[in-house]
Amino acid sequence: MFDAFRKTLRKFSDTVATVAGTGVTIREEHVDEALDELEMSLLQADVALDVVERLRDALKEKLVGTKVRNASEIKEAIRRALEELLDLPAPKIVPPPETPYIILFVGPNGVGKTTTIAKIAHMLSKMGYRSVVSASDTFRAGSIEQTEEWARRVGARVVKHDYGADPAAVAFDAVKSAKARGEEYVLIDTAGRQETNENLMEQLRKIKRVVKPHITVFVGEAITGNALLNQIRTFDEEVGVDAVILTKLDTDARGGSAFTVTVGAGKPILFVGLGEDPDDLKPFSPKELVEMILS
Ligand code: GDP
């Protein structure tokens, strides 16, 4: 899955191992060549230039000065450094004493928002919690039916209005009815379109004003490449983003996107999507991702 990325990182640790020798403190000249190679490969994997540079600097800072005796210790140091770069404190999505816990999902069209919301409702349902999905994408033809279809599959309730209705009014009704019924979660699905669309951003801000979600989650594709950073930044500036869910990690051959989110955008990754079924969602584990990359 992470072939190209893994190959470079393996080469990187081998190069460091070769030049560092045994029982030495890693110095800048030990890692420079390897970091050059890493940089090239990340750029080829569509990771944005400033993310690559920041990753390079951060990795260098963590490695230089580290005492190592052999190649496996170097690999361990790299593993730790990469894990730390991916491991940002993420909000906990436990229902507050006064339910419901409200999550607003934002992001471009087609990235998997509706599917991800269904996966989350499914996960919460397995934990014994009830979810209400607010069908607040009242723009795209077919979106409400798609939300209903998914909700049926995972046993969640849907609150909907007609197409063209105010997305914030739908969200308001969803929250109101969840309160009345004591349901634990409200998951708000929203429209995508262009991230630059001012009308969309205004709608999203209005939803925020009206229902005051506990967190706003950006849903993005692992396969977006370079554009992912700009997407997150735009939504963050316009609406405010607390955390990210990366979908389609099962189809990402390069794996650089996780670094784009944490190192580039400075946002924690909550979950990763690994397929099209309700169970194909996993909490993000920096350890597992790095394991996959390096092993
Ligand atoms: P939305 O427009 O953002 O709501 O996107 P949808 O939920 O409609 O998903 C768009 C497409 O992406 C659908 O065909 C989904 O089955 C697919 N999809 C969503 N998440 C994943 C994932 O994690 N892996 C894969 N392979 N496909 C996914």
Side-chain angles (χ1 to χ4, degrees):
M1 199 190 304
F2 292 99
D3 281 352
F5 196 49
R6 179 164 44 214
K7 217 177 277 168
T8 323
L9 285 179
R10 204 180 289 145
K11 203 163 146 203
F12 169 58
S13 65
D14 287 346
T15 312
V16 176
T18 318
V19 294
T22 53
V24 293
T25 301
I26 297 177
R27 293 197 306 271
E28 230 168 88
E29 62 262 35
H30 295 144
V31 293
D32 269 341
E33 190 190 333
L35 286 172
D36 285 346
E37 280 168 15
L38 178 66
E39 199 169 86
M40 279 309 296
S41 154
L42 286 169
L43 287 173
Q44 279 160 9
D46 266 354
V47 179
L49 179 63
D50 61 337
V51 176
V52 174
E53 283 173 353
R54 273 202 258 167
L55 184 59
R56 183 197 169 110
D57 290 347
L59 207 50
K60 190 167 174 169
E61 199 188 303
K62 284 177 189 294
L63 289 175
V64 171
T66 307
K67 276 210 177 71
V68 288
R69 275 172 310 196
N70 49 45
S72 76
E73 282 191 9
I74 291 168
K75 285 203 175 117
E76 192 44 45
I78 292 169
R79 191 185 301 269
R80 250 198 332 269
L82 289 171
E83 265 178 46
E84 281 170 22
L85 291 170
L86 291 171
D87 199 4
L88 305 185
K92 297 254 178 296
I93 53 166
V94 284
E98 206 175 303
T99 53
Y101 190 88
I102 305 164
I103 309 178
L104 173 63
F105 294 86
V106 301
N109 255 340
V111 296
K113 273 197 303 292
T114 305
T115 311
T116 300
I117 288 168
K119 288 174 179 174
I120 289 182
H122 181 60
M123 177 193 76
L124 293 169
S125 153
K126 285 194 291 186
M127 293 162 72
Y129 297 123
R130 289 158 301 166
S131 298
V132 182
V133 180
S134 170
S136 289
D137 180 354
T138 58
F139 182 78
R140 188 169 59 92
S143 70
I144 298 176
E145 289 76 12
Q146 195 198 349
T147 298
E148 288 183 305
E149 174 61 33
W150 261 115
R152 238 192 319 275
R153 270 182 82 179
V154 299
R157 191 167 69 84
V158 175
V159 170
K160 61 171 185 175
H161 290 189
D162 288 334
Y163 286 102
D166 180 356
V170 187
F172 180 81
D173 281 355
V175 171
K176 196 171 147 194
S177 64
K179 265 186 194 150
R181 293 162 177 243
E183 289 156 327
E184 288 87 358
Y185 286 89
V186 175
L187 312 175
I188 305 171
D189 199 358
T190 61
R193 288 176 274 168
Q194 293 293 314
E195 62 262 28
T196 47
N197 187 309
E198 198 35 51
N199 185 35
L200 169 67
M201 295 301 178
E202 185 44 53
Q203 283 181 354
L204 295 176
R205 283 193 291 268
K206 185 171 176 190
I207 296 176
K208 271 193 124 156
R209 279 197 307 275
V210 171
V211 301
K212 298 190 175 51
H214 293 84
I215 56 167
T216 300
V217 175
F218 174 88
V219 184
E221 286 176 333
I223 44 177
T224 310
N226 218 329
L228 183 63
L229 183 62
N230 275 339
Q231 288 176 358
I232 301 174
R233 280 185 179 154
T234 305
F235 275 92
D236 192 31
E237 278 162 22
E238 297 278 348
V239 205
V241 166
D242 301 304
V244 171
I245 293 178
L246 265 185
T247 62
K248 309 187 188 180
L249 207 62
D250 52 313
T251 61
D252 176 25
R254 299 169 296 210
S257 53
F259 292 100
T260 299
V261 176
T262 59
V263 179
K267 299 292 177 191
I269 303 171
L270 272 185
F271 296 100
V272 292
L274 295 165
E276 299 183 78
D277 289 323
D279 279 310
D280 293 333
L281 184 83
K282 276 182 71 176
F284 175 62
S285 159
K287 197 170 159 51
E288 274 175 33
L289 189 88
V290 173
E291 192 67 42
M292 282 165 88
I293 292 168
L294 291 181
S295 61

